[in-house]
Amino acid sequence: MRQANKKKILYCGIVVITLIILLHPDMNARRTYEYIEKENILNNLLEEIAENFSSTALIDCDYEDVIHDETTLSISLVDGDLIEGHKIREGGEYAPSDCKPKYSTAIIVPYRDRAEQLRGFLVYMHTFFHRQHIHYRIFVIEQVDSRPFNRAKLLNIGAVAAMKAGYPCLVLHDVDLLPLKPANLYACTERPRHMSSSINKFRFVLPYLNLFGGAIAIGSRQYKEINGMSNDYYGWGGEDDDLYSRLEAHNLKLCRFEPDTSRYHMFTHRPERKTEPRHKVLSFSKDRMSSDGLNSLKYTEVATVLHPLFTHIMVDL
Ligand code: BGC
């Protein structure tokens, strides 16, 4: 009897240890994809600052220290306050004053009904950017009508606003995602980049190679070239797969940074109901891309307000 119990305990122990090893995020992170090595990141970045932006600083900012920053930020920052001395201009724009930035990035966030999450996101992101020495501005595009959420159309609207403000690089970013590694530089690479390839929700594993949602970086010129995103995806899912097929059709290969640098925390929330029509819309993606996107974008701008931490564009789709 005693012998049998011992066997049982041993067996359970082995099962538990095997599960811990298999399910451990670090184990999963090793199952990886092709990525730009750390030492090649800077060579792959598009060095360009916004039209209308000039810096009086005498020296160029250094980004070597950024990409080699091994820190992992704590998500508890969402409950805190901003770092003192991080002088953000009205509309959520910032540029370092002690050095000349080489990159200007517009962060575009589609939004509706998540006030608490947005507050945490803004505090966290400004704190995160404080370590990156880039020039940036956060645009939040809020859908005020009651139709199903249209993420891609909101991103198109934000992209138009950011390009009008002269930004050469667009980061399209969900409000529920927080980058954990300051080494994940928010600047555009020569190729469009999938930034959030390692998310806690997916146990830090890339679910599929063509995934191009969550947080991505794309040059404004490239975004125009592919006619932006489709305006036809109402409800959850598919619009990012459609964006990927636009890249494919234009021979724009995506790139990524290594899994450890690309770690993100996703806020937990009720899972969205997946919309079925997305598969149908997606199957005609390539036929529609030249006539559905930036060149067919129609909406009503209800108001634009420059808040201390972000530019708030409210739209009726
Ligand atoms: C959806 C995408 C989504 C992905 C990961 C896919 O089935 O079409 O929109 O980003 O799942 O959740």
Side-chain angles (χ1 to χ4, degrees):
M1 185 63 185
R2 230 186 248 164
Q3 195 64 20
N5 270 347
K6 264 190 194 162
K7 261 193 183 165
K8 243 189 217 165
I9 291 167
L10 187 70
Y11 176 74
C12 287
I14 291 171
V15 171
V16 169
I17 290 169
T18 312
L19 281 176
I20 289 174
I21 293 174
L22 286 178
L23 298 178
H24 192 276
D26 286 342
M27 176 74 184
N28 287 324
R30 266 180 234 129
R31 283 200 257 130
T32 187
Y33 47 78
E34 223 180 274
Y35 57 81
I36 300 175
E37 301 281 348
K38 232 175 214 215
E39 49 277 24
N40 292 328
I41 288 181
L42 296 182
N43 295 335
N44 275 276
L45 294 180
L46 279 175
E47 229 177 84
E48 198 175 346
I49 54 163
E51 296 160 25
N52 325 325
F53 172 78
S54 62
S55 165
T56 51
L58 299 175
I59 50 161
D60 285 342
C61 298
D62 174 31
Y63 295 93
E64 280 290 342
D65 62 334
V66 178
I67 59 162
H68 289 106
D69 185 341
E70 297 298 333
T71 318
T72 300
L73 287 193
S74 160
I75 57 154
S76 63
L77 287 170
V78 297
D79 301 319
D81 293 319
L82 281 176
I83 295 177
E84 240 178 86
H86 186 54
K87 295 199 177 67
I88 300 155
R89 287 183 225 153
E90 212 180 35
E93 182 180 359
Y94 170 84
S97 54
D98 53 346
C99 64
K100 237 187 226 149
K102 292 186 180 172
Y103 313 104
S104 287
T105 305
I107 322 311
I108 301 165
V109 186
Y111 171 79
R112 181 161 74 183
D113 278 348
R114 289 189 186 173
E116 187 55 30
Q117 219 168 71
L118 177 62
R119 193 213 151 268
F121 174 83
L122 291 166
V123 171
Y124 184 96
M125 293 307 285
H126 283 295
T127 311
F128 173 88
F129 287 135
H130 189 56
R131 308 172 76 108
Q132 294 205 331
H133 327 310
I134 59 166
H135 167 226
Y136 69 89
R137 176 166 163 189
I138 300 182
F139 295 83
V140 174
I141 322 300
E142 179 174 7
Q143 181 174 342
V144 296
D145 61 78
S146 53
R147 294 185 71 182
F149 194 59
N150 189 329
R151 177 176 178 270
K153 194 167 176 184
L154 296 170
L155 289 169
N156 277 343
I157 295 168
V160 169
M163 291 191 274
K164 212 165 140 196
Y167 282 86
C169 170
L170 313 173
V171 166
L172 314 183
H173 211 295
D174 287 347
V175 72
D176 57 0
L177 279 179
L178 303 177
L180 297 175
K181 296 288 190 159
N184 188 356
L185 194 59
Y186 271 52
C188 278
T189 23
E190 278 160 22
R191 291 195 263 141
R193 184 164 89 257
H194 181 227
M195 305 174 80
S196 53
S197 45
S198 205
I199 307 183
N200 63 335
K201 182 188 170 191
F202 302 129
R203 303 198 59 77
F204 300 103
V205 178
L206 182 64
Y208 54 100
L209 269 182
N210 300 347
L211 180 61
F212 199 51
I216 65 146
I218 183 165
S220 299
R221 274 187 289 274
Q222 289 165 336
Y223 199 72
K224 267 194 202 145
E225 186 190 333
I226 61 170
N227 197 19
M229 295 180 79
S230 165
N231 299 307
D232 285 353
Y233 288 84
Y234 282 89
W236 187 92
E239 80 295 338
D240 48 353
D241 303 315
D242 187 292
L243 176 60
Y244 179 81
S245 73
R246 288 176 183 229
L247 296 188
E248 238 183 356
H250 288 83
N251 288 323
L252 287 168
K253 216 172 159 261
L254 65 81
C255 68
R256 294 188 171 95
F257 289 167
E258 61 171 317
D260 186 57
T261 308
S262 312
R263 281 179 169 243
Y264 280 75
H265 176 86
M266 189 185 271
F267 287 117
T268 44
H269 47 76
R270 230 176 342 110
E272 310 282 345
R273 205 159 47 87
K274 301 191 163 97
T275 45
E276 277 326 305
R278 77 185 196 280
H279 297 298
K280 193 157 166 243
V281 189
L282 193 54
S283 63
F284 296 111
S285 161
K286 290 209 165 84
D287 304 331
R288 291 188 341 265
M289 61 182 67
S290 60
S291 56
D292 163 26
L294 289 177
N295 65 1
S296 63
L297 183 60
K298 288 194 185 67
Y299 61 96
T300 306
E301 187 170 322
V302 176
T304 293
V305 182
L306 299 186
H307 289 283
L309 300 187
F310 67 110
T311 297
H312 189 185
I313 304 178
M314 284 158 266
V315 289
D316 185 333
L317 302 185

